[in-house]
Amino acid sequence: MTLDRITTDPGQMNGQPCLRGMRLTVRRVLEIAALYPDSTERKQEFPELEDEDVRQALHYAALHLPDQIISLSGDALVA
């Protein structure tokens, strides 16, 4: 999958990854996707946000998360 909708510009949003050059960060898109799991409602609230934007933001986030196992019991980190 290409991430052609993810853009970075040091002069915009402190260089955070954004969608299509807009002032809409990948982080914010992830928050929106979590708050509005129903795509119809999400499109009403954020008509500029396309389904492909959400897919690429999720993929970008997954690619940038460390691949490690974290114990939920509070034990030390297991790699």
Side-chain angles (χ1 to χ4, degrees):
M1 170 185 249
T2 7
L3 299 175
D4 57 347
R5 293 176 179 237
I6 309 297
T7 57
T8 55
D9 177 354
Q12 180 181 7
M13 303 299 287
N14 294 321
Q16 294 180 60
C18 294
L19 271 293
R20 295 183 284 127
M22 298 187 290
R23 298 179 60 82
L24 188 58
T25 63
V26 167
R27 177 187 173 93
R28 182 67 180 131
V29 172
L30 297 177
E31 291 171 346
I32 291 167
L35 289 170
Y36 299 94
D38 176 35
S39 65
T40 304
E41 187 179 352
R42 184 174 62 238
K43 288 175 185 177
Q44 276 185 316
E45 294 294 321
F46 300 92
E48 71 280 7
L49 191 57
E50 300 172 9
D51 290 339
E52 184 61 19
D53 295 332
V54 175
R55 277 191 289 277
Q56 286 196 25
L58 287 167
H59 191 187
Y60 180 89
L63 289 172
H64 287 83
L65 287 173
D67 191 14
Q68 55 186 309
I69 300 169
I70 300 172
S71 172
L72 297 179
S73 66
D75 295 338
L77 183 64
V78 180

